[in-house]
Amino acid sequence: MQETNEKKLIFSGIQPTGTFTLGNYIGAIRNWGPLQDEYNCIYSIVDMHAITVRQDPAKLRQNTLQAYALILACGIDPKKSTAFIQSHNPNHAELSWILSCSTQFGELSRMTQFKDKSAKHADDINAGLFTYPVLMAADILAYNADLVPIGADQKQHLELARNIAGRFNQKYGEFFTLPEPFIPETGARVMSLQDPAKKMSKSDENPNACVLILDDKDTIIRKFRRAVTDSEAEVCYREGKAGINNLMTIYSAVTGKTLDAITAEFAGKGYGDFKTAVGEAVADHLEPVRTEYEKLIADKAYLKECYTAGAETAFRITRKTLSKVYRKIGFVDAR
Ligand code: TRP
């Protein structure tokens, strides 16, 4: 067992978008709990990133609290990890300004997410949307994080964070840790229930395509019963059976059964039985998360206690980084 201070540090930022999909859960979130013993983990609900696109203030506040409650419900233990709301730690914004002066206009212009979001929100191409990756770099570098769990869409931003860190180190002497992407061995990739060629996504127009981890039991079973399959009647994992393969993958992920065992279990049974069984298994598997979430979201005082303590820890760690940075770049000591 390693000593606490030898553990690698993981930083992860989570957008306050309300809820997670079954795909997020199986692919990533359910690993969070076990990771806390092996690593020092810092989780932040990134409300400051969220406002780079228009937000309804009441909704943002609600989504931020919900996201916070949800990560706890999914296994983040605020005693083991640091879990806080990004805007509660002003050091992120301060460091972001400093780092923006080591970031080039050209490199930010090349960010594909900026290009995509500008196209999507053509009437609001604000400076925050443009400098979004610098704030993300500040999130990570402020803690000197070793590892950052990210999906493919955030790879370019992490690469930029490494470049910014490297450039700063070159100008002012070795200081920042160059963060690496952390891709835990996951579970499987979960596909849309309506079009198994596509990834399961919250933004799918068809609500039956995507199971949300806070969906109630009936809703989950209904969505699985409507899942697209094929015209055979054989529960078996094989090329050309993308719908069934996806359902088998999900069933295997939540029950721990092997694909062969699943085939044996449903031999001679119809797809209807299989789909209902998958729906029930998923609903049962998510039940404790939903119960815990409901308990937490009803206890605003407890949540506040947790996120206030998280922000204090986060502030303390990052203030040290910032003081050193200020000294390095030639700012006069404030005290
Ligand atoms: N940009 C990330 C996303 O959209 C969220 C994020 C913000 C983040 N800051 C971060 C992720 C720092 C990892 C580390 O998913």
Side-chain angles (χ1 to χ4, degrees):
M1 220 10 195
Q2 288 192 318
E3 287 298 312
T4 313
N5 56 10
E6 286 173 12
K7 287 182 186 171
K8 291 209 166 185
L9 196 150
I10 291 185
F11 181 93
S12 187
I14 297 124
Q15 291 270 4
T17 42
T19 181
F20 301 121
T21 69
L22 178 66
N24 302 142
Y25 188 76
I26 291 177
I29 299 168
R30 64 173 182 164
N31 297 312
W32 288 351
L35 281 181
Q36 299 174 106
D37 296 320
E38 230 181 298
Y39 300 93
N40 288 324
C41 297
I42 303 187
Y43 293 97
S44 182
I45 307 299
V46 291
D47 54 350
M48 289 161 67
H49 278 104
I51 60 164
T52 57
V53 298
R54 255 185 222 112
Q55 297 284 341
D56 171 64
K59 194 95 195 122
L60 176 61
R61 190 170 295 118
Q62 192 189 14
N63 280 344
T64 302
L65 283 174
Q66 285 179 354
Y68 190 85
L70 202 53
I71 64 169
L72 299 198
C74 288
I76 305 291
D77 177 347
K79 301 231 159 45
K80 287 188 189 166
S81 297
T82 300
F84 71 103
I85 296 168
Q86 187 187 29
S87 62
H88 292 182
N89 180 4
N91 297 332
H92 292 231
E94 274 191 57
L95 183 60
S96 178
W97 174 256
I98 305 301
L99 297 180
S100 74
C101 301
S102 288
T103 310
Q104 299 303 305
F105 179 85
E107 49 189 355
L108 288 177
S109 310
R110 286 193 290 277
M111 294 293 114
T112 56
Q113 189 178 80
F114 172 69
K115 292 190 231 174
D116 292 348
K117 287 196 179 171
S118 324
K120 213 165 130 202
H121 306 276
D123 58 337
D124 185 21
I125 307 176
N126 62 77
L129 194 61
F130 189 65
T131 57
Y132 177 114
V134 185
L135 179 59
M136 179 162 160
D139 293 342
I140 299 164
L141 301 180
Y143 300 86
N144 275 308
D146 299 292
L147 299 166
V148 181
I150 42 159
D153 65 322
Q154 296 298 315
K155 267 198 152 145
Q156 198 186 23
H157 288 163
L158 187 63
E159 198 50 44
L160 180 68
R162 288 171 58 88
N163 291 341
I164 295 173
R167 201 168 307 139
F168 184 97
N169 289 352
Q170 237 168 22
K171 268 205 253 180
Y172 301 107
E174 279 311 303
F175 181 66
F176 286 122
T177 304
L178 299 196
E180 310 261 358
F182 178 69
I183 322 244
E185 35 176 299
T186 54
R189 212 163 121 88
V190 174
M191 312 306 282
S192 155
L193 298 186
Q194 292 296 313
D195 176 2
K198 286 195 311 196
K199 211 177 120 184
M200 181 178 278
S201 160
K202 203 159 31 188
S203 48
D204 205 302
E205 295 115 52
N206 186 339
N208 290 318
C210 174
V211 171
L212 300 173
I213 65 173
L214 296 177
D215 278 344
D216 62 38
K217 183 163 188 169
D218 290 350
T219 306
I220 294 176
I221 293 175
R222 183 165 34 80
K223 287 179 179 175
F224 277 102
R225 289 204 55 91
R226 292 187 183 162
V228 167
T229 50
D230 53 58
S231 55
E232 303 171 0
E234 201 191 350
V235 177
C236 144
Y237 197 99
R238 180 173 70 228
E239 179 140 6
K241 291 174 77 73
I244 289 294
N245 294 349
N246 187 37
L247 295 181
M248 288 180 76
T249 304
I250 294 170
Y251 191 63
S252 167
V254 298
T255 60
K257 293 177 186 169
T258 63
L259 297 176
D260 285 344
I262 298 168
T263 299
E265 182 179 350
F266 292 95
K269 294 191 186 143
Y271 284 169
D273 289 344
F274 177 52
K275 291 199 268 190
T276 306
V278 181
E280 280 179 354
V282 168
D284 289 348
H285 188 77
L286 294 177
E287 169 77 19
V289 174
R290 205 157 63 89
T291 308
E292 184 61 16
Y293 170 80
E294 268 152 22
K295 195 179 100 197
L296 288 165
I297 202 68
D299 193 349
K300 296 287 189 296
Y302 174 71
L303 284 181
K304 187 168 186 180
E305 214 178 280
C306 295
Y307 62 69
T308 309
E312 276 167 20
T313 306
F315 184 89
R316 222 181 319 110
I317 300 171
T318 51
R319 201 65 220 170
K320 282 199 195 122
T321 308
L322 212 50
S323 306
K324 288 185 195 154
V325 165
Y326 282 179
R327 214 163 303 136
K328 275 187 169 293
I329 62 182
F331 286 180
V332 173
D333 260 349
R335 277 173 284 271

